[in-house]
């Protein structure tokens, strides 16, 4: 059909400067109400982490990570100069354990720690060691918890196929500690760690000299961010707690859970494809920001747009593809792949569409598809950049420090061509050209390993 409708489709994903500023304004409002009250759209979870590494930290610490199908155990050696060494092992969690008892699951986790120590830290089992030899452990636990202290958090609910019923409502650190104690291991669960916090901590440690790391951002399967907040702003934990904590530190890291920002899509907008995608998800009407931004969803947005081009604009004329009509058929790597294709005939895109959707295409169609891909990827990055900017304005970072550092982890940021460039475009709109230049954005290494270890150390 007409070129006009392709343009329309592409434009439906674009956010102009006025919108980007409105997004930033609303974000600051929602963030502030989340710091003041419980039960707000953005949860703004206090992490009780009140120190940022400087790069001088030294020591050997343990870190474990339970987040999905695997359990990772590692020991991290912080060398005190922004570098570290890491030894690790990984084991699959059986389906049986995922739906069994907490005794069985956490007992298994403790067994893995023991096995790891036997293999890599035999000295840990020497008889004559006193309490100073207790190893501190950082526990990355990627399920919703209600955190009440740096090493205390009750499980709200399981996700990702786990269903260990008797663990819900219990403190997961204590569940692990009890099992470690049963095995007589001299290991102390010192910190419960969210991956965003680990990302911030790891970035702060690894970029010494730049001690102004203010944020850890995840742009992977999901999206989320933790940042350094002024303790006095976290009023919902109560004046007494604030006063007590402020004796030792003026700040606390907050886990924003920004995936749930702008639930009503008042500022981020909602295309036809966003609505259809939302209707295909289990948590309809929730996490709308995440559904516009993160890796789990961008491939499906592209597929839905291709269906529209096929049915309304005659793309892939007189061809039929079952794959095209299969929800979740495309991964976000499809967008990276097409975005990266700079050949004049877009040959790579042709091969890709043939292999993944069994469709042949004309050059004109591929050019349009590339514009659609770019629009979806750009919107994702523009949204991320706008809310990063909003948080930096909220924390008055530009008034406080010459250079602001943002650590990022996740395959979307790592692999999508030009993603950082797009983040910077909207960041510039929100914080201004001069300030944007003062923001360093870079990959953080291994948040759930070295980041979790650092949380355990500063606990
Ligand atoms: P996790 O978030 O689970 O820790 P990742 O950071 O690797 O893991 O993110 C996985 C997500 O990244 C998936 O949703 C996938 O679609 C997306 N992804 C994987 N490869 C690429 C790529 N080359 N370009 C863009 N996104 C990708
Ligand atoms: Mg990750």
């Amino acid at each position: 059909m007409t070129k006009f409708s392709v343009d329309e489709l592409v434009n439906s994903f674009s956010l102009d400067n006025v919108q980007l500023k409105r997004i930033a304004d609303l974000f600051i409002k929602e963030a502030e109400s989340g710091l003041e009250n419980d039960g707000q759209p953005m949860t703004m979870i206090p992490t009780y982490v009140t120190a940022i590494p400087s790069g001088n930290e030294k020591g050997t610490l343990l870190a474990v990570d339970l987040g999905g199908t695997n359990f990772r155990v590692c020991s991290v050696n912080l060398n005190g100069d922004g570098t570290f060494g890491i030894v690790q092992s990984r084991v699959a969690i059986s389906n049986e354990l995922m739906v069994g008892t907490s005794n069985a699951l956490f007992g298994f986790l403790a067994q893995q720690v023991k096995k790891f120590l036997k293999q890599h830290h035999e000295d840990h089992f020497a008889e004559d060691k006193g309490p100073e030899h207790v190893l501190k452990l950082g526990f990355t636990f990627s399920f919703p918890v209600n955190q009440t202290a740096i090493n205390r958090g009750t499980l709200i609910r399981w996700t990702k196929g786990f269903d260990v019923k008797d663990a819900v409502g219990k403190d997961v650190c204590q569940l692990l500690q009890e099992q470690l104690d049963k095995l007589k291991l001299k290991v102390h669960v010192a910190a419960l760690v969210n991956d965003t916090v680990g990302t911030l901590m790891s970035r702060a440690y690894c970029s010494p000299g730049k001690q102004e790391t203010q944020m850890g951002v995840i742009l992977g399967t999901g999206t989320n961010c933790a940042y350094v907040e002024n303790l006095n702003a976290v009023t919902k934990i109560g004046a007494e707690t604030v006063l007590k904590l402020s004796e030792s530190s003026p700040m606390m890291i907050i886990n924003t859970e920004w995936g749930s920002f702008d639930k009503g899509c008042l500022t981020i907008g909602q295309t036809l494809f966003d609505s259809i995608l939302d209707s295909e998800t289990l948590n309809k009407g929730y996490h709308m920001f995440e559904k516009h931004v993160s890796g789990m969803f961008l491939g499906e947005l592209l597929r839905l747009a291709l269906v529209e081009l096929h049915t309304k604009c005659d793309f892939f004329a007189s061809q039929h593809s079952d794959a095209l009509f299969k929800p979740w058929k495309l991964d976000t790597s499809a967008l990276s792949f097409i975005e990266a294709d700079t050949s004049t005939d877009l040959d790579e895109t042709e091969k890709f569409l043939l292999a993944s959707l069994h469709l042949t295409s004309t050059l004109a169609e591929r050019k349009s598809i590339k514009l659609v891909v770019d629009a979806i990827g750009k919107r994702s990055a523009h949204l991320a950049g706008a809310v990063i900017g909003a948080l930096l304005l909220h924390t008055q970072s530009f008034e406080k420090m010459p250079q602001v550092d943002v650590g990022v982890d996740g395959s979307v940021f790592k692999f999508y061509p030009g993603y950082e460039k797009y983040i910077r475009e909207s960041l510039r709109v929100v914080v201004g050209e001069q300030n944007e230049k003062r923001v360093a954005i870079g990959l953080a290494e291994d948040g759930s390993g070295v980041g979790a270890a650092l949380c355990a150390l500063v606990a």
Side-chain angles (χ1 to χ4, degrees):
M1 232 196 348
T2 57
K3 174 90 168 44
F4 178 71
S5 45
V6 175
D7 281 349
E8 249 183 356
L9 194 160
V10 168
N11 284 337
S12 71
F13 285 103
S14 86
L15 298 164
D16 63 28
N17 291 357
V18 175
Q19 278 172 291
L20 290 171
K21 286 183 183 149
R22 281 183 59 216
I23 288 164
D25 288 344
L26 182 68
F27 189 86
I28 293 173
K29 276 207 193 91
E30 286 197 12
E32 286 173 353
S33 60
L35 291 168
E36 288 158 16
N37 299 296
D38 287 326
Q40 296 303 298
M42 259 205 302
T43 353
M44 306 296 280
I45 301 168
T47 65
Y48 298 89
V49 177
T50 56
I52 306 293
S54 64
N56 302 328
E57 290 72 18
K58 267 188 182 175
T60 302
L61 300 123
L62 293 178
V64 299
D65 179 6
L66 182 70
T69 44
N70 286 301
F71 180 62
R72 181 163 81 128
V73 185
C74 45
S75 63
V76 178
N77 247 318
L78 301 169
N79 299 323
D81 59 357
T83 69
F84 63 92
I86 190 163
V87 187
Q88 56 184 312
S89 73
R90 212 182 280 268
V91 58
I93 303 286
S94 69
N95 290 333
E96 216 172 36
L97 285 172
M98 284 166 78
V99 298
T101 64
S102 64
N103 250 333
L105 177 63
F106 287 87
F108 175 82
L109 303 184
Q111 282 291 351
Q112 300 314 307
V113 174
K114 180 172 181 182
K115 221 168 163 183
F116 178 86
L117 289 172
K118 282 268 182 214
Q119 199 175 350
H120 300 289
H121 294 270
E122 185 55 58
D123 57 315
H124 185 74
F125 297 91
E127 282 300 327
D128 56 342
K129 297 227 158 152
E132 70 277 15
H133 290 284
V134 169
L135 277 169
K136 287 185 178 175
L137 178 147
F139 185 12
T140 302
F141 184 77
S142 307
F143 300 93
V145 289
N146 183 10
Q147 193 156 359
T148 51
I150 191 159
N151 66 343
R152 217 166 27 228
T154 49
L155 176 62
I156 297 169
R157 63 176 175 277
W158 289 104
T159 56
K160 297 178 262 194
F162 279 76
D163 191 18
V164 179
K165 291 203 171 60
D166 72 291
V168 176
K170 292 202 181 124
D171 175 4
V172 293
C173 287
Q174 202 187 338
L175 289 176
L176 181 60
Q177 188 68 60
E178 280 166 6
Q179 298 293 335
L180 293 165
D181 293 348
K182 269 191 202 164
L183 298 177
K184 303 213 159 38
L185 299 176
K186 282 165 265 171
V187 173
H188 171 60
V189 182
L192 182 61
V193 186
N194 181 270
D195 57 355
T196 55
V197 182
T199 297
L200 195 166
M201 299 295 272
S202 137
R203 174 76 183 178
Y205 175 82
C206 295
S207 42
K210 276 201 222 133
Q211 293 171 14
E212 322 82 342
T213 303
Q214 294 296 298
M215 258 188 232
V217 176
I218 300 288
L219 290 157
T221 304
T223 183
N224 190 13
C225 165
Y227 74 103
V228 179
E229 180 58 280
N230 182 343
L231 190 55
N232 288 321
V234 197
T235 51
K236 68 176 170 186
I237 59 175
E240 229 172 277
T241 312
V242 169
L243 196 65
K244 204 168 125 229
L245 290 169
S246 65
E247 282 163 18
S248 52
S249 168
M251 53 70 62
M252 184 190 284
I253 296 181
I254 300 291
N255 166 14
T256 60
E257 294 291 337
W258 76 18
S260 58
F261 165 59
D262 196 4
K263 185 169 173 290
C265 297
L266 300 176
T267 62
I268 63 177
Q270 194 168 31
T271 66
L272 168 68
F273 314 106
D274 294 311
S275 321
I276 304 174
L277 179 140
D278 184 43
S279 73
E280 291 171 348
T281 60
L282 290 174
N283 57 347
K284 282 183 207 38
Y286 288 90
H287 275 225
M288 300 309 286
F289 181 76
E290 182 158 79
K291 288 172 188 171
H292 282 53
V293 174
S294 83
M296 185 157 178
F297 304 102
L298 303 187
E300 178 64 1
L301 285 176
L302 174 61
R303 188 194 66 82
L304 290 167
L306 293 180
V307 168
E308 179 81 355
L309 290 171
H310 176 56
T311 52
K312 302 264 174 69
C313 303
D314 240 9
F315 274 49
F316 321 118
S318 68
Q319 299 178 66
H320 179 76
S321 159
D322 286 336
L324 178 63
F325 289 94
K326 206 169 156 212
W328 311 105
K329 174 73 189 163
L330 293 178
D331 191 67
T332 301
S333 57
L335 284 91
S336 289
F337 194 83
I338 295 171
E339 184 84 68
D341 186 2
T342 51
S343 61
T344 36
D345 289 340
L346 297 177
D347 289 334
E348 295 301 317
T349 302
E350 163 85 333
K351 278 185 229 156
F352 178 80
L353 292 171
L354 200 56
S356 62
L357 301 176
H358 319 295
L359 290 167
T360 60
S361 51
T362 67
L363 179 57
E365 286 169 355
R366 292 197 292 281
K367 282 187 176 163
S368 295
I369 290 168
K370 193 164 177 200
L371 291 177
V372 173
V373 163
D374 183 62
I376 294 171
K378 188 193 276 184
R379 185 181 70 160
S380 158
H382 277 177
L383 287 170
V387 297
I388 288 171
L391 266 183
L392 293 177
L393 292 180
H394 160 78
T395 53
Q396 299 181 311
S397 296
F398 297 111
E399 280 99 82
K400 292 182 194 153
M401 55 198 78
Q403 211 199 359
V404 184
D405 187 36
V406 176
V408 191
D409 192 11
S411 290
V412 174
F413 179 80
K414 266 191 238 173
F415 301 123
Y416 194 100
Y419 200 86
E420 183 184 335
K421 189 190 82 191
Y422 286 148
I423 285 185
R424 287 188 174 280
E425 281 177 3
S426 58
L427 183 59
R428 206 174 298 136
V429 172
V430 171
V431 304
E433 205 162 316
Q434 292 309 315
N435 287 336
E436 181 267 324
K437 289 193 187 112
R438 292 161 60 197
V439 182
I441 303 175
L443 270 178
E445 290 186 71
D446 197 359
S448 70
V450 69
L454 283 156
C455 287
L457 183 74
V458 303

